[in-house]
Amino acid sequence: MSHPALILFLALFGLYSPVAALASYLPIVRPYNHGQVNRLALGLAFNVAVFVLAALWVGEPLLKLLGISTAALTATGGIALAYASIPLMRGKAGAVEELEKLQERERQGTALPPEPVPDPKSILFTPLSFPLTVGGTTFAFGVAASASATGTQDKVALSIAALCFAAVTGLTLYLSGHVQRRISLKGAMILDRVAGILLTAIAVILLANGFTDLVTARLNQ
C-alpha cells in the first residue's frame, strides 16, 4: 500500500469519488444518445489521461513558466464548478427545467418542437472534463507525485496509475448514460437538485481552499 503509484491512484480516486461524479454527469448526458455518450466517455478518458500525464511529466516547470500556482487553478475550478452547479441547485437547468417545460406544454395542449441538442464537443472540455472531473487539486496531486519520484521507472509507474484513473472516469461517464436512460424524469429532477447542492458545496470548498492557499503564499513571501 506504500507504492507511490498506488498512493496516487487512491488519492485521485478518492478526490474524484465515482458515485458523486456519476450523479453530476446525469444532467450533462441527458440530451445525448448511446453512441454520443460512448464518444463522450472516450473523450473524457483521453482528456483526463493527458491532464494527469502532463502534471506528472511537465507540471512543475510548466506552472513556473506560466507563473500559475496550483492554488490559482483550484480557485478557478471552484468558480467554473459554481457556474455550472448553481443553476442545477436552483432548478434552472437539467431535469427540473425540462419537467417544467413539459408541464407547461401539457397545460397549453401544444407539442413544441424539441430543443436542439448541443454538440457533444462543446461540453467535453468544459464543464465535463474541467471542473467536473479534474481540476487544480488533481493537477497538484500529479505534480506532488512527480516530485517524489526517484527515477524514470517510478514516473512510468505513476503514468500507469494515471491511465487507470482516466479509465475509471470514462467508465463512470459511460455508466451514467445507462443510469440516465433508466430513470424517470421526476427521479432525474430530484437527482439534479441533489447533485446541484453537492457540487455547489464542492465548489465552495475549492474556492475557499484556493483563495486560502493564495493568501497564505502571499503572506509567506
Side-chain angles (χ1 to χ4, degrees):
M1 293 295 290
S2 61
H3 195 283
L6 180 58
I7 293 174
L8 174 64
F9 176 80
L10 292 177
L12 293 174
F13 187 89
L15 176 67
Y16 175 62
S17 184
V19 175
L22 188 148
S24 70
Y25 291 153
L26 290 178
I28 304 294
V29 303
R30 182 171 297 114
Y32 301 108
N33 58 37
H34 179 69
Q36 289 172 320
V37 171
N38 288 346
R39 288 192 291 273
L40 281 172
L42 291 174
L44 176 64
F46 177 79
N47 285 353
V48 171
V50 170
F51 187 85
V52 182
L53 289 174
L56 289 172
W57 290 93
V58 298
E60 191 171 5
L62 180 62
L63 290 181
K64 289 181 179 179
L65 177 65
L66 298 176
I68 300 174
S69 66
T70 54
L73 283 176
T74 300
T76 302
I79 294 172
L81 184 56
Y83 180 80
S85 62
I86 290 176
L88 282 175
M89 183 177 64
R90 296 177 60 235
K92 299 301 182 181
V96 178
E97 190 177 43
E98 190 176 337
L99 182 60
E100 290 176 349
K101 290 180 180 179
L102 180 61
Q103 291 173 342
E104 181 64 24
R105 292 173 189 174
E106 290 176 349
R107 284 194 295 267
Q108 296 177 354
T110 58
L112 298 178
E115 296 182 357
V117 177
D119 185 353
K121 294 181 180 179
S122 67
I123 55 98
L124 181 56
F125 182 75
T126 304
L128 194 55
S129 298
F130 180 86
L132 287 181
T133 304
V134 293
T137 306
T138 310
F139 199 84
F141 280 2
V143 172
S146 177
S148 65
T150 57
T152 304
Q153 186 175 358
D154 284 346
K155 278 200 172 184
V156 170
L158 291 172
S159 299
I160 295 173
L163 294 176
C164 291
F165 170 67
V168 169
T169 63
L171 178 61
T172 303
L173 180 59
Y174 171 79
L175 292 175
S176 72
H178 285 273
V179 172
Q180 175 56 42
R181 287 190 293 274
R182 287 165 174 77
I183 194 171
S184 67
L185 191 57
K186 289 187 177 180
M189 178 187 69
I190 295 172
L191 286 178
D192 273 9
R193 292 276 195 178
V194 172
I197 293 171
L198 292 175
L199 291 174
T200 302
I202 294 172
V204 171
I205 293 172
L206 291 175
L207 277 169
N209 289 344
F211 283 122
T212 299
D213 291 343
L214 284 171
V215 172
T216 303
R218 177 63 64 179
L219 293 175
N220 290 335
Q221 287 182 352

